[in-house]
């Protein structure tokens, strides 16, 4: 196989020799649009989760976000096979957003099964919507409580 200058640039800027071997074997990179769209969905989902935790719980929410991150690193089967993690984390595995992120990324990168990617994207978007709505409800309740207190003080000041 002959490699021209443009391919050398790709080899140098991507993953080096392993990328060249994959390319020589006929492996193609995932469609960039699907890759970018799915990673955008992942980032929005995690941003909504962290926003909810920090908004509602303040500094303890930051701590809860770190605990969630640690649980997801172990329990999402991205680092180790799920069969090797403790039973408690195995039961959490299907409920962790990172599980769906990893499944979708695997589908985009290696298998090219976009139906799996869209299923996982739908789950992640639903998770993001739940946490965004929970944050909105928190703000609405907080506003009502503050407005009620303000209204009572205004009424008391007028009488």
């Amino acid at each position: 196989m002959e490699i021209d200058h443009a391919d050398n640039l790709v080899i140098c800027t991507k993953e080096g020799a392993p990328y060249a071997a994959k390319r020589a074997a006929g492996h193609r990179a995932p469609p960039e649009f699907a890759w970018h769209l799915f990673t955008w969905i992942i980032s929005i989902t995690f941003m909504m989760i962290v926003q909810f935790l920090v908004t509602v719980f303040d500094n303890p929410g930051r701590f809860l976000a770190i605990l969630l991150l640690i649980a997801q690193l172990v329990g999402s089967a991205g680092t180790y096979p799920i069969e090797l993690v403790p039973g408690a984390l195995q039961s959490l595995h299907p409920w962790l957003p990172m599980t769906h992120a990893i499944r979708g990324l695997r589908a985009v990168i290696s298998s090219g099964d976009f139906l799996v990617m869209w299923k996982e994207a739908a789950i992640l978007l639903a998770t993001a919507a739940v946490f965004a709505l929970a944050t909105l409800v928190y703000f609405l309740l907080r506003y009502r409580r503050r407005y009620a207190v303000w209204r009572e003080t205004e009424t008391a000041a007028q009488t």
Side-chain angles (χ1 to χ4, degrees):
M1 173 180 201
E2 186 176 325
I3 299 176
D4 64 341
H5 182 67
D7 285 338
N8 285 334
L9 180 64
V10 171
I11 291 169
C12 292
T13 59
K14 293 280 185 174
E15 300 168 7
Y19 183 75
K22 287 179 188 176
R23 214 164 150 188
H27 177 76
R28 297 289 177 241
E32 285 188 41
F33 178 75
W35 168 260
H36 288 292
L37 178 65
F38 194 73
T39 55
W40 182 78
I41 290 170
I42 292 169
S43 66
I44 292 294
T45 301
F46 287 113
M47 187 174 64
M48 291 295 113
I49 293 170
V50 171
Q51 174 183 311
F52 171 77
L53 291 172
V54 172
T55 300
V56 173
F57 302 112
D58 198 26
N59 282 332
R62 289 177 175 87
F63 180 70
L64 290 173
I66 297 290
L67 289 179
L68 179 64
L69 171 68
I70 293 168
Q72 290 188 107
L73 287 174
V74 177
S76 63
T79 312
Y80 300 106
I82 194 63
E83 295 80 17
L84 297 179
V85 300
L89 289 174
Q90 285 183 15
S91 63
L92 283 178
H93 172 73
W95 299 99
L96 296 173
M98 193 176 286
T99 298
H100 303 289
I102 289 170
R103 283 183 191 157
L105 286 173
R106 285 180 180 157
V108 170
I109 293 170
S110 60
S111 71
D113 189 358
F114 291 99
L115 290 177
V116 171
M117 183 204 80
W118 286 116
K119 177 187 164 222
E120 302 303 335
I123 292 170
L124 289 171
L125 286 171
T127 303
V130 165
F131 280 97
L133 286 174
T135 304
L136 178 65
V137 166
Y138 171 77
F139 277 125
L140 290 174
L141 292 175
R142 188 172 166 191
Y143 174 77
R144 276 188 165 175
R145 191 176 331 131
R146 284 191 177 181
Y147 182 71
V149 169
W150 175 78
R151 192 168 180 174
E152 288 174 10
T153 57
E154 284 292 316
T155 307
Q158 289 177 355
T159 57

